Amino acid sequence: DAKTTQPNSMESNEEEPVHLPCNHSTISGTDYIHWYRQLPSQGPEYVIHGLTSNVNNRMASLAIAEDRKSSTLILHRATLRDAAVYYCILRDPGTASKLTFGTGTRLQVTL
Amino acid sequence: NAGVTQTPKFQVLKTGQSMTLQCAQDMNHNSMYWYRQDPGMGLRLIYYSASEGTTDKGEVPNGYNVSRLNKREFSLRLESAAPSQTSVYFCASSDIINSPLHFGNGTRLTVT
């Protein structure tokens, strides 16, 4: 199964943009890139996903490299409520079992 | 709209006891999943059900059984609990295979 690599932790100041990187050099052509986040004592929450093109929604933007071997989740203005663990996951639509979470990036947001 | 509901929220078992974790979703989703999360770790897939009537093993199925009772409900059973099964268990559902997963708030299980 294709794996992802993320930094263990990152810090940001409130109101500033945050760029969370993810490497997935063994991604297959059919794998979608999904991002989830997990706030303390809660279940993971879907953030965004994409295949090849950059994607935007109300929560974040997803920038995907042209070769698809890396991607970046962009929070445009971090708030204290964005402090969470962010998971970058590859999802093969052919089988539900290929959804490996890894340890993610713990984002700290300070005033 | 409740989404994914898990019961119980907390449970303490003694080694060798059995129990069933319940999960229900009200979004008419086809697929349902059970994950476990150990302290400081990511989530690991235990079992999943791609559609009503089917179940398949994930990464860590040993010591667990599942039942997809109907489209709404997917239960996880521990027949003989062990301390290594102390964890937080999350149930999730999705509409089709590649659609986003919706998670419940988890069941915190301690086995002594």
Side-chain angles (χ1 to χ4, degrees):
Chain A
D1 295 347
K3 302 290 186 198
T4 62
T5 304
Q6 299 177 254
N8 288 332
S9 63
M10 292 184 65
E11 288 185 23
S12 173
N13 294 323
E14 201 177 19
E15 303 292 317
E16 290 186 356
V18 181
H19 290 232
L20 297 163
C22 181
N23 287 320
H24 28 80
S25 58
T26 59
I27 191 171
S28 75
T30 55
D31 284 338
Y32 279 73
I33 302 159
H34 283 240
W35 283 82
Y36 289 77
R37 72 179 186 181
Q38 187 173 21
L39 280 65
S41 301
Q42 293 189 25
E45 170 188 34
Y46 167 78
V47 177
I48 200 166
H49 78 284
L51 183 62
T52 56
S53 304
N54 294 344
V55 185
N56 300 298
N57 66 22
R58 63 175 180 81
M59 288 181 73
S61 296
L62 176 60
I64 301 172
E66 199 169 328
D67 63 6
R68 299 204 334 120
K69 294 186 176 181
S70 65
S71 61
T72 302
L73 180 71
I74 302 166
L75 307 179
H76 295 287
R77 291 180 66 188
T79 70
L80 295 177
R81 289 177 296 177
D82 292 321
V85 178
Y86 287 79
Y87 297 99
C88 167
I89 301 148
L90 301 181
R91 192 154 189 218
D92 181 344
T95 168
S97 67
K98 291 190 176 182
L99 194 61
T100 303
F101 271 76
T103 54
T105 297
R106 182 174 298 277
L107 176 66
Q108 293 180 296
V109 181
T110 54
L111 293 170
Chain B
N1 202 358
V4 178
T5 304
Q6 292 184 236
T7 55
K9 288 185 170 53
F10 301 94
Q11 183 71 49
V12 179
L13 292 177
K14 292 189 184 333
T15 298
Q17 288 185 317
S18 62
M19 80 160 294
T20 300
L21 280 64
Q22 307 286 354
C23 175
Q25 51 93 8
D26 62 3
M27 296 171 283
N28 201 36
H29 284 170
N30 289 310
S31 302
M32 297 185 74
Y33 311 80
W34 276 106
Y35 287 88
R36 61 177 286 175
Q37 185 172 36
D38 300 325
M41 306 285 288
L43 280 76
R44 292 184 292 171
L45 181 65
I46 305 171
Y47 271 94
Y48 69 99
S49 170
S51 61
E52 186 179 355
T54 69
T55 60
D56 284 285
K57 295 178 181 179
E59 299 172 76
V60 288
N62 291 344
Y64 305 95
N65 287 302
V66 291
S67 296
R68 184 74 183 266
L69 303 168
N70 47 54
K71 193 171 186 180
R72 289 187 65 249
E73 297 172 290
F74 188 38
S75 62
L76 178 72
R77 182 158 179 85
L78 287 70
E79 290 291 351
S80 180
S84 60
Q85 294 178 305
T86 293
S87 190
V88 180
Y89 291 84
F90 289 100
C91 177
S93 70
S94 69
D95 186 14
I96 55 176
I97 287 294
N98 196 42
S99 65
L101 266 63
H102 296 255
F103 284 84
N105 283 328
T107 294
R108 188 173 298 273
L109 175 67
T110 301
V111 183
T112 61

